[in-house]
Amino acid sequence: MAEHQLILTPNIHRADDFYAELLAAHDGLDKTESEALHARLVLILANHIGDNEVLSQALAAAQPSVPADDDRP
Amino acid sequence: MNKIFEVPLYSYERSEDQDRTTPARHPVVIIGAGPVGLAAAVDLAQQGIRVTVLDDNDKVSLGSRAICFAKRTLEIADRLGIGDALVDKAVQWNLGKVFFSDRKVYEFNLLPEKGHQRPAFVNLQQYYFEDYLVQRVRALQQEGAPIEIRGRNRLTAITNHDDHVTLDIETPEGSYALEADWVLACDGAGSPTRQMMGLDFVGRVFEDNFLIADVIMDAEFPTERWFWFDPPFNPGQSALLHKQPDGVWRIDLQLGWDIDKAKEKLPENVIPRIRAMLGPDIPFELDWVSIYTFQCRRMEKFRHGRVIFAGDAAHQVSPFGARGANSGLQDVDNLCWKLKLVIDGAASEHLLDSYDTERVFGADENILNSSRSTDFITPKSDISRLLRDAVLDLSEQYEFARPLVNSGRLSAPCSYVHSPLTSTDALDGPARSAPGSPCPDVPLEDVFLLPQLGDRFTLLTIDAEAPEHINESGITAQRLSLSCADDTTQALRERYMGAAEGAVYLIRPDQHVAARWPTFDDDLVRAALRRVIGKEHDL
């Protein structure tokens, strides 16, 4: 079902704006603070998604060894 | 004034068995008079089985030790006749506060579900729990029950045979030998029985040390559970403050693994730690201090022929979640009715293998939960700490992060859904009372449901017809008839019926559901009864 499927096709309307905002969020932060911000961000986004299946797919998709596109059986 | 744990409660007395030339044979010998061994003794004695408890000591346990007793334990305690004594003495609490570094990040209320006789949790020193069980043993003796505690009787050798066990026992007046049909080893985490039999724990997961202190103070701390992550007074570690009866406060300070235990236990090292925690102006007195070391692991099997292990002797968990003593009581609850049927000849000894299956499953669930808590409390890598701290930071501001905070998932009984004794669910009813589950309590007209169950098989009918008794393969299930028409709180409907119009539940003596159907069917009920005593083998 689509609702339990991680979206891996373009889904952010203004991609460049988002990316700039993501970078800007780290302005003035050192490495440790940036890492903490990322950790908080991951948790906030994960809660927003909420769906355990989608979260598992996202964790798998983020693995360095797994191709981040289709070919899912 | 003598403290309760300084007074001998079962002093050494010479037994006739010590003067015999051939060893006496006992049906059941229990090694260890802790909460688990004593509970098993009471449970069996209440069912008319002769039981002998051996302990190398003659007193209740020193210091508070297990302090959180969960609702399921209180329900089992009701069946053992000590529920009221426990609850009357214990401290009840619902509010918890969580601190991170130097600040409170949030508080929570357990908000226990209404319509249960017993509260979600109470705090009580382990020595009271043991004391009430010893008093219960004395009361049973007054009634003529064949139950005996032999203090300062230390097991020195044990040998398993096909149909019995031989035991060598050391006393202040020398040694003697005993034979037992069955031995329950309830002799704690260091179990001498386990060591003598050359059996070891498997699956070591985690090791840590805790400084555990009982502190007497008059301070106006509220009756709440306070848990600190990485506090200034114990950097990088955790701390817990919890109230017990008699103005005694329990403090747990995590110390880490690589420490000098003897040095940490010295008052000159303990007192400054506690003063830093409580603040400089609060006078307190140290009642008891101990260093507690834990592992998360279990024996591969809990049954070894005629010797059966229960409680910490069989499995050990971290203290987070109060899953030690509470799971030990569930072991007893699971084992005693089966042992009774085997001793009576109503079931074959293979029924006891289901104790192994069911309680190993329970132990694994407890080990999983307490290992997860341990991973949160003591992060093992930089990224694990980063995520943990992120959760705690967010929890201060955002409610969503609070369920991720893990300072212990409080003990709840497991469901035996995959047990060979459990029948397939045949009712479209609530998940919480599906076969395998522990029965949820329900308020009836002027009593509660759970005290009406237990010690026997019950056929609970709700708006359904059934015979008053079913006799099958040497056991009897007695009917308990209820109706949703009397269910003013709707708890019966919500917990046992759901959308169903009628329900028939077969309930085990340990108050777990064995099977359920929408209506009574003689063949199906009989098959489920045979299955629950190990006599029905599915094709």
Side-chain angles (χ1 to χ4, degrees), chain B residues 72 156 170 198 324 340 401 412 454 475 503 535:
Chain B
R72 182 65 203 140
T156 56
E170 185 70 34
K340 158 83 175 160
I475 57 169
K535 286 187 175 172

Side-chain angles (χ1 to χ4, degrees), chain B residues 118-143:
Chain B
R118 293 310 184 189
F121 264 90
V122 299
N123 288 3
L124 185 72
Q125 294 92 327
Q126 180 174 326
Y127 47 78
Y128 278 120
F129 195 94
E130 293 176 19
D131 183 34
Y132 297 144
L133 282 167
V134 172
Q135 289 179 36
R136 178 68 184 139
V137 168
R138 301 298 176 223
L140 285 164
Q141 286 171 332
Q142 291 288 313
E143 294 164 19

Side-chain angles (χ1 to χ4, degrees), chain B residues 458-461 464-471 476-481 504 519-523 525-526:
Chain B
T458 304
L459 196 66
L460 169 66
T461 61
E465 290 307 318
E468 290 306 306
H469 297 94
I470 308 277
N471 297 308
T476 300
Q478 240 178 306
R479 183 186 181 199
L480 174 67
S481 171
V504 175
T519 53
F520 176 79
D521 179 304
D522 194 63
D523 289 342
V525 171
R526 287 178 187 282

Side-chain angles (χ1 to χ4, degrees), chain B residues 7-13 33 38-39 41-43 45-46 51-55 57-60 80-82 129-152:
Chain B
V7 185
L9 279 186
Y10 34 90
S11 300
Y12 169 74
E13 283 174 39
L38 288 170
V42 167
D43 201 346
Q46 285 187 161
V51 55
T52 310
V53 183
L54 309 178
D55 197 279
N57 203 314
D58 55 8
K59 304 178 186 75
V60 290
L80 302 179
I82 62 162
F129 195 94
E130 293 176 19
D131 183 34
Y132 297 144
L133 282 167
V134 172
Q135 289 179 36
R136 178 68 184 139
V137 168
R138 301 298 176 223
L140 285 164
Q141 286 171 332
Q142 291 288 313
E143 294 164 19
I147 180 171
E148 192 187 348
I149 310 177
R150 296 186 183 174
R152 300 179 70 190

Side-chain angles (χ1 to χ4, degrees), chain B residues 416-463:
Chain B
Y416 304 131
V417 61
H418 301 300
S419 165
L421 307 190
T422 303
S423 298
T424 309
D425 194 0
L427 180 76
D428 184 19
R432 65 190 293 179
S433 52
S437 311
C439 286
D441 207 358
V442 166
L444 305 178
E445 214 166 335
D446 40 41
V447 290
F448 281 84
L449 173 63
L450 290 190
Q452 321 308 313
L453 311 171
D455 289 346
R456 58 185 167 82
F457 293 93
T458 304
L459 196 66
L460 169 66
T461 61
I462 307 168
D463 297 320

Side-chain angles (χ1 to χ4, degrees), chain B residues 160-458:
Chain B
N160 225 331
H161 303 277
D162 279 349
D163 62 348
H164 73 286
V165 181
T166 49
L167 307 155
D168 290 337
I169 296 152
E170 185 70 34
T171 77
E173 297 181 302
S175 58
Y176 70 104
L178 267 187
E179 290 180 357
D181 293 338
W182 298 97
V183 170
L184 309 189
C186 309
D187 47 355
S191 178
T193 310
R194 195 183 62 224
Q195 288 172 15
M196 280 176 226
M197 292 178 68
L199 304 166
D200 210 353
F201 269 3
V202 290
R204 177 183 300 189
V205 176
F206 189 86
E207 296 174 307
D208 209 332
N209 291 295
F210 284 76
L211 178 79
I212 295 182
D214 285 339
V215 166
I216 301 171
M217 59 179 177
D218 283 330
E220 288 300 306
F221 282 110
T223 305
E224 298 170 355
R225 178 187 195 262
W226 289 14
F227 195 96
W228 285 263
F229 293 95
D230 196 11
F233 56 83
N234 197 22
Q237 306 286 357
S238 67
L240 176 74
L241 178 69
H242 226 168
K243 191 177 189 180
Q244 306 177 75
D246 306 335
V248 178
W249 296 79
R250 167 69 170 268
I251 292 173
D252 290 19
L253 288 167
Q254 188 185 8
L255 298 177
W257 182 239
D258 193 18
I259 57 151
D260 181 342
K261 287 195 208 178
K263 191 172 141 232
E264 293 291 348
K265 229 167 31 176
L266 295 172
E268 64 253 42
N269 291 322
V270 172
I271 287 169
R273 278 182 184 279
I274 293 176
R275 192 170 308 288
M277 177 175 178
L278 299 176
D281 305 324
I282 293 180
F284 65 87
E285 187 193 321
L286 271 182
D287 191 41
W288 170 73
V289 177
S290 175
I291 304 257
Y292 172 68
T293 303
F294 73 81
Q295 288 96 25
C296 291
R297 49 183 181 164
R298 65 164 170 85
M299 297 177 75
E300 205 172 340
K301 288 183 345 180
F302 298 168
R303 180 186 173 210
H304 289 266
R306 296 254 159 179
V307 182
I308 301 166
F309 292 80
D312 279 1
H315 45 75
Q316 227 193 323
V317 292
S318 82
F320 313 116
R323 289 168 181 269
N326 285 306
S327 67
L329 268 292
Q330 289 161 34
D331 291 347
V332 168
D333 202 29
N334 188 290
L335 175 61
C336 288
W337 66 270
K338 295 174 183 173
L339 189 55
K340 158 83 175 160
L341 289 176
V342 171
I343 288 172
D344 288 353
S348 95
E349 66 176 81
H350 297 300
L351 179 61
L352 296 171
D353 292 330
S354 72
Y355 164 75
D356 207 89
T357 312
E358 294 182 340
R359 293 313 299 161
V360 162
F361 178 79
D364 284 345
E365 191 172 288
N366 287 321
I367 287 170
L368 176 71
N369 274 289
S370 87
S371 300
R372 285 175 169 177
S373 303
T374 307
D375 285 339
F376 191 86
I377 292 163
T378 315
K380 310 251 181 330
S381 66
D382 291 342
I383 188 66
S384 171
R385 178 171 294 275
L386 181 74
L387 285 165
R388 196 282 305 267
D389 289 354
V391 166
L392 288 168
D393 272 330
L394 290 166
S395 75
E396 186 172 9
Q397 216 177 336
Y398 304 112
E399 204 183 328
F400 89 82
R402 293 172 192 166
L404 297 171
V405 175
N406 192 340
S407 67
R409 298 288 180 234
L410 297 177
S411 169
C414 70
S415 166
Y416 304 131
V417 61
H418 301 300
S419 165
L421 307 190
T422 303
S423 298
T424 309
D425 194 0
L427 180 76
D428 184 19
R432 65 190 293 179
S433 52
S437 311
C439 286
D441 207 358
V442 166
L444 305 178
E445 214 166 335
D446 40 41
V447 290
F448 281 84
L449 173 63
L450 290 190
Q452 321 308 313
L453 311 171
D455 289 346
R456 58 185 167 82
F457 293 93
T458 304

